[in-house]
């Protein structure tokens, strides 16, 4: 835990560090380490005592799972807060603080730096695991106690394993004496409000699927997977999906306005590492619906629960393994990444072995028609799994190819676009039938209601293409036209039935949440189609007497000014944008210099608009009051994140709508399973 470096620093600095420790100013790191150590030890007890209680039929040992889960969450929260306190106090004797902070760094970024590096992010990862375990303990009063006990025991083992990994390989509390007088500062690319919010949301989404993994293992261990277990497991999948969606949407927004390349998705391996569990998590949600309502797709639920959590852990490995270079990745010792890979292999092997031994392949199957809700959801689940498998292959095959010393292989955006675009269009075409679907059969619908949505999509998509043709921004791609049509068709399929009084009366909170989530997919897809196929961009050297015309917009150079920030200096350029002779926007791109890290960063100038964004990236200075610039017009780009917000809102509403149903459903489950009443403690 102690890293001694007597050859660096001065005697005065060493005395100052020792004096701080003796006066209590430096004991926070030791207390944080102790809290993490206790949490890991108690988590292993949480993961072993309940199994011993099941073996010995001991009610006392079975009851210990819940209090241990709550204590572990408190200890992990304490450890995280103590690390944050070290950052707030600029305790540079803590190696992790010295590597990722600076005394001039604003307080908000100091706190965000807690998860800005490998060690701190692993601590937050373990804390998120403990938090979900505590929530299971608090919110499972009406769930079968034996299922809850098994779930908490499995969660305890997972928390214990990753807690030990953090303690042994990635402790953020290691010290160095003498500590430096100043820290290295946080990576300038991460000095943004997006870092404060994006990683916690992403980790909560990743880790939340551990609960579904635990429910799947508990169902297999108890040789039971029915509608009741699916009902208990589904809210956790929904909550994790909402958090993961929020993390992906915020990460996309951060990349757009912070990195200065004008894009929102790069098919970067780390970006894909968050998308893949989101795809399987979406499939898991819909499989749980069918399992709960009709008792079908039970084996799919088990496998999707296992592989969704496995992909979450795989993403953790990719970010921290050192196998790739990415703006999102942490450059660490590959041996630590190998240990993470071994943990993933251990959990996956145990889970699949239990599935092979306990899954009942002779269980009766529900019968349904291909054009029923079960059939259409099954097709959607299959498409999501194919998309995930294709993305997994394109993301990790080059890494495996290179690790075997077979050469280098590059898989870029053309591969992913070729795979994902047709699958996404097919998936949205299936979603257009959502209002017409009922369990086991199609709902009765008038011919007019069946024809109006596709007609609206056909006409709307054609009009959009004509509008871009007149503006000179038509790409000529039939994929873009088809994407417009299918997106509008889906919107019409979801919204037009609301014009009927009967449909409005049947619009419960649960159905409204589903409508919002699927509407968010359509809105997001429409925004993606416009940005991908109808964006305009150009490059020029802009000066005071040389305006630049981009489509209908004229950009004019207005001047420059120096800017002094809290830990950087910058040069800010002001541009005015005119359309039809009138000024419509002002843009202020910057070029920043961070002296501690000796890094330069470009901050794009963006004029936000619901119909499109004007986006400027500042380049090199080419002369007095003359700068190279990249200028973009991004139509409907904000609709991408608006669609993400609608998906998050829809998932949240469905989660809220399930709360009053939980008690009544739980009572019915107990009444229909008298054996559980006898086993329950």
């Amino acid at each position: 835990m102690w890293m001694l470096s007597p050859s660096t620093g001065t005697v005065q600095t060493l005395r100052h560090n020792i004096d701080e420790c003796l006066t209590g100013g430096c004991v926070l790191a030791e207390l944080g380490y102790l809290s993490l150590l206790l949490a890991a030890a108690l988590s292993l007890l949480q993961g072993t005592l309940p199994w011993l209680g099941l073996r010995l039929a001991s009610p006392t040992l079975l009851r210990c799972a819940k209090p241990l889960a709550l204590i572990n969450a408190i200890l992990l929260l304490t450890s995280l807060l103590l690390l944050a306190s070290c950052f707030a106090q600029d305790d540079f004797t803590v190696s992790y603080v010295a590597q990722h902070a600076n005394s001039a760094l604003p307080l908000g970024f100091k706190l965000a730096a807690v998860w800005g590096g490998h060690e701190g992010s692993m601590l937050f990862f373990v804390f998120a695991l403990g938090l979900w375990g505590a929530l299971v303990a608090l919110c499972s009063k009406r769930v079968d106690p034996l299922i809850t006990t098994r779930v908490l025991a499995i969660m305890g083992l997972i928390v214990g394993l990753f807690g030990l990994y953090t303690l042994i390989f990635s402790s953020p509390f290691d010290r160095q004496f003498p500590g430096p007088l100043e820290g290295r500062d946080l990576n300038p690319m991460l000095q943004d409000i997006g870092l404060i919010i994006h990683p916690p949301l992403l980790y909560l989404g990743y880790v939340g699927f551990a609960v579904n993994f635990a429910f799947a293992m508990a169902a297999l261990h108890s040789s039971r997977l029915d509608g009741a277990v699916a009902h208990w497991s589904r809210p956790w999948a929904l909550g994790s999906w909402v958090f993961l969606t929020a993390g992906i949407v915020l990460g996309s927004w951060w990349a757009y306005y912070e990195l200065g390349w004008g894009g929102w998705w790069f098919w970067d391996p780390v970006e894909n590492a968050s998308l893949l569990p989101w795809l399987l998590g979406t499939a898991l949600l819909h499989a749980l619906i069918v399992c709960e309502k009709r008792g079908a797709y039970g084996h799919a639920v088990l496998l999707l629960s296992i592989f969704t959590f496995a992909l979450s852990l795989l993403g953790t490995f990719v970010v921290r393994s050192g196998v790739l270079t990415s703006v999102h990745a942490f450059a660490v010792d590959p041996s630590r990444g190998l240990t993470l890979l071994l943990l993933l292999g251990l959990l996956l092997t145990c889970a699949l072995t239990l599935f092979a031994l306990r899954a009942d392949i002779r269980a009766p199957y529900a019968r349904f028609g291909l054009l029923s809700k079960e059939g259409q959801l099954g097709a959607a689940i299959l498409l999501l799994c194919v998309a995930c498998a294709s993305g997994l292959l394109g993301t990790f095959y080059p890494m495996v190819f290179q690790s075997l010393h077979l050469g280098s292989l590059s898989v870029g955006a053309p591969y992913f676009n070729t795979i994902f675009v047709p699958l996404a269009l097919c998936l949205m075409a299936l979603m257009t039938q959502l209002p017409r679907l009922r369990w086991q059969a199609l709902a009765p619908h008038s011919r007019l209601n069946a024809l109006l949505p596709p007609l609206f999509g056909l006409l709307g998509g054609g009009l959009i293409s004509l509008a871009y043709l007149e503006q000179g921004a038509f790409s000529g791609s039939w994929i873009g036209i088809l994407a417009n049509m299918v997106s509008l068709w889906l919107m019409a399929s979801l919204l037009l039935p609301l014009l009927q009084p009967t449909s409005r009366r049947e619009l419960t909170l649960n159905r409204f949440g589903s409508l919002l989530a699927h509407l968010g997919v359509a809105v997001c897809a429409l925004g993606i189609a416009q940005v991908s196929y109808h964006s305009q961009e150009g490059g020029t050297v802009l000066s005071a007497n040389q305006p630049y015309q981009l489509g209908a917009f004229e950009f004019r150079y207005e001047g420059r000014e120096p800017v002094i920030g809290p830990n950087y200096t910058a040069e800010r350029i002001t541009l005015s944008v005119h359309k039809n002779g009138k000024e419509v926007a002002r843009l202020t791109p910057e070029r920043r210099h961070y002296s501690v890290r000796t890094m330069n960063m470009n901050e794009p100038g963006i004029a936000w608009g619901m119909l499109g964004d004007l986006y400027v990236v500042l380049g090199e200075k080419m002369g007095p009051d003359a700068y190279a610039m990249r200028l973009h017009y991004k139509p409907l780009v904000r609709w991408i994140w608006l669609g993400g917000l609608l998906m998050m809102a829809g998932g949240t509403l469905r989660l809220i709508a399930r709360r009053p149903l939980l008690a009544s459903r739980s009572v019915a489950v107990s009444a229909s399973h008298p054996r559980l009443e006898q086993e329950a403690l």
Side-chain angles (χ1 to χ4, degrees):
M1 180 178 175
W2 297 85
M3 296 168 55
L4 299 177
S5 304
S7 60
T8 60
T10 63
V11 175
Q12 182 180 1
T13 306
L14 180 58
R15 287 176 178 172
H16 172 72
N17 296 147
I18 295 175
D19 288 342
E20 280 192 353
C21 290
L22 292 176
T23 57
C26 281
V27 298
L28 297 179
E30 282 65 38
L31 292 176
Y33 187 90
L34 181 61
S35 296
L36 180 59
L37 181 63
L38 289 175
L42 292 179
S43 296
L44 293 176
L45 285 178
Q46 177 188 335
T48 54
L49 292 182
W51 298 116
L52 188 60
L54 287 171
R55 185 80 174 177
L56 301 177
S58 170
T60 303
L61 292 178
L62 289 173
R63 291 195 191 100
C64 74
K66 287 187 177 182
L68 282 175
L70 297 175
I71 294 172
N72 288 333
I74 294 172
L75 287 172
L76 290 169
L77 176 61
T78 302
S79 183
L80 191 69
L81 292 177
L82 288 171
L83 180 60
S85 299
C86 292
F87 274 93
Q89 295 183 6
D90 294 326
D91 185 359
F92 298 130
T93 63
V94 179
S95 301
Y96 181 70
V97 177
Q99 292 167 5
H100 297 91
N102 185 272
S103 59
L105 193 66
L107 180 60
F109 295 151
K110 286 181 182 178
L111 298 180
V114 171
W115 47 79
H118 167 72
E119 292 85 356
S121 66
M122 279 307 305
L123 178 60
F124 190 90
F125 188 88
V126 178
F127 161 71
L129 279 169
L131 178 63
W132 281 106
L135 289 174
V136 171
L138 291 172
C139 302
S140 58
K141 295 179 180 179
R142 296 186 178 273
V143 179
D144 172 18
L146 293 180
I147 292 292
T148 302
T149 300
R150 291 182 172 96
V151 168
L152 289 176
I154 295 166
M155 290 292 293
L157 287 174
I158 297 173
V159 174
L161 286 174
F162 281 95
L164 287 177
Y165 169 84
T166 304
L167 285 166
I168 298 172
F169 297 99
S170 305
S171 173
F173 300 105
D174 288 344
R175 285 199 183 277
Q176 55 184 356
F177 284 108
L181 294 176
E182 193 56 86
R184 289 189 60 214
D185 204 3
L186 185 65
N187 188 330
M189 286 187 292
L190 303 179
Q191 293 184 29
D192 184 83
I193 191 174
L195 177 71
I196 300 176
I197 309 172
H198 163 63
L201 291 176
L202 207 59
Y203 292 146
L204 288 171
Y206 276 152
V207 169
F209 287 111
V211 179
N212 296 99
F213 174 84
F215 266 103
M217 295 300 97
L220 285 169
H221 186 266
S222 60
S223 300
R224 169 191 178 194
L225 179 63
D226 51 26
V229 177
H231 175 80
W232 295 327
S233 177
R234 188 175 155 203
W236 303 105
L238 188 55
S240 305
W241 182 87
V242 169
F243 278 115
L244 188 55
T245 303
I248 292 173
V249 169
L250 187 59
S252 169
W253 177 58
W254 171 78
Y256 176 73
Y257 78 85
E258 176 65 21
L259 297 185
W261 59 284
W264 54 275
W265 195 264
F266 192 63
W267 295 112
D268 181 275
V270 178
E271 291 177 336
N272 296 347
S274 63
L275 178 64
L276 298 179
W278 185 87
L279 291 171
L280 276 197
T282 307
L284 172 62
L285 268 176
H286 292 83
L288 283 168
I289 292 173
V290 183
C291 186
E292 179 183 348
K293 301 292 185 183
R294 296 279 293 124
Y297 300 161
H299 293 90
V301 167
L302 295 172
L303 289 174
L304 286 171
S305 299
I306 293 170
F307 285 112
T308 302
F309 182 55
L311 285 179
S312 298
L313 297 183
L314 188 61
T316 305
F317 158 75
V318 167
V319 174
R320 295 163 179 84
S321 62
V323 300
L324 56 88
T325 301
S326 167
V327 67
H328 311 276
F330 303 111
V332 300
D333 184 356
S335 62
R336 291 194 278 187
L338 180 61
T339 308
L340 277 174
L341 190 61
L342 291 175
L343 280 178
L344 167 62
L346 175 64
L347 290 172
L348 188 59
T349 301
C350 293
L352 292 178
T353 301
L354 187 60
F355 177 83
L357 295 175
R358 291 297 186 95
D360 187 4
I361 61 174
R362 297 168 297 178
Y365 292 92
R367 296 182 177 274
F368 49 83
L370 183 62
L371 297 180
S372 63
K373 181 176 285 190
E374 299 96 322
Q376 298 295 297
L377 287 177
I381 291 168
L382 181 61
L383 285 174
L384 288 167
C385 292
V386 170
C388 181
S390 303
L392 187 68
L393 180 65
T395 302
F396 292 100
Y397 182 73
M399 299 181 196
V400 175
F401 194 80
Q402 188 173 5
S403 66
L404 296 176
H405 304 289
L406 299 175
S408 60
L409 184 66
S410 177
V411 176
Y415 165 82
F416 292 105
N417 291 333
T418 303
I419 294 294
F420 276 87
V421 170
L423 291 174
L425 292 176
C426 291
L427 190 60
M428 287 196 296
L430 280 176
M431 291 166 60
T432 60
Q433 304 305 307
L434 183 68
R436 305 176 63 223
L437 296 176
R438 295 293 183 270
W439 298 114
Q440 295 183 291
L442 278 172
H445 249 62
S446 68
R447 189 172 298 177
L448 181 63
N449 289 339
L451 291 177
L452 276 179
L455 183 62
F456 180 83
L458 182 64
L459 294 177
L463 290 175
I464 290 176
S465 300
L466 287 176
Y468 283 118
L469 184 62
E470 290 181 359
Q471 297 175 8
F474 180 64
S475 65
S477 171
W478 65 270
I479 291 289
I481 300 173
L482 187 59
N484 291 335
M485 291 179 178
V486 175
S487 300
L488 293 172
W489 179 12
L490 178 56
M491 288 184 191
S493 299
L494 295 169
L495 297 177
L496 286 179
L498 297 181
L499 299 177
Q500 301 174 354
T502 305
S503 297
R504 289 197 299 270
R505 285 194 296 268
E506 295 177 351
L507 191 64
T508 61
L509 186 61
N510 194 37
R511 291 184 179 179
F512 183 63
S514 177
L515 186 148
L516 274 185
H518 292 90
L519 183 63
V521 174
V523 171
C524 186
L526 187 62
I528 291 172
Q530 309 320 303
V531 174
S532 301
Y533 298 103
H534 303 300
S535 291
Q536 295 173 287
E537 64 177 279
T540 186
V541 176
L542 204 61
S543 61
N545 300 318
Q546 293 180 340
Y548 181 77
Q549 193 76 28
L550 180 67
F553 301 97
E554 184 182 75
F555 294 81
R556 301 177 185 174
Y557 175 84
E558 298 292 344
R560 61 185 176 88
E561 60 177 326
V563 176
I564 300 178
N567 60 338
Y568 66 87
T569 58
E571 188 176 27
R572 177 182 295 165
I573 308 300
T574 301
L575 305 177
S576 61
V577 185
H578 299 259
K579 183 178 182 181
N580 299 326
K582 296 181 179 180
E583 183 176 319
V584 294
R586 279 190 170 252
L587 305 176
T588 55
E590 295 181 8
R591 184 167 53 214
R592 296 180 178 178
H593 176 70
Y594 292 83
S595 57
V596 177
R597 285 264 183 170
T598 61
M599 286 182 62
N600 294 323
M601 284 285 298
N602 280 328
E603 292 289 319
I606 306 175
W608 303 88
M610 281 304 296
L611 296 181
D613 285 5
L614 296 166
Y615 189 103
V616 175
V617 183
L618 185 62
E620 295 295 325
K621 189 173 184 177
M622 308 301 292
D625 291 332
Y627 295 85
M629 297 186 187
R630 294 293 303 176
L631 306 104
H632 305 258
Y633 176 65
K634 302 286 185 181
L636 299 191
V637 66
R638 296 186 75 183
W639 288 43
I640 298 174
W641 305 300
L642 175 62
L645 291 175
L646 289 174
M647 284 187 268
M648 292 155 49
T652 304
L653 286 179
R654 294 208 65 165
L655 198 58
I656 294 172
R658 290 183 65 84
R659 291 185 61 192
L661 298 176
L662 207 56
S664 59
R665 178 60 183 261
S666 301
V667 173
V669 168
S670 286
S672 60
H673 293 82
R675 180 177 60 85
L676 300 182
E677 290 285 343
Q678 297 174 3
E679 291 183 357
L681 299 175

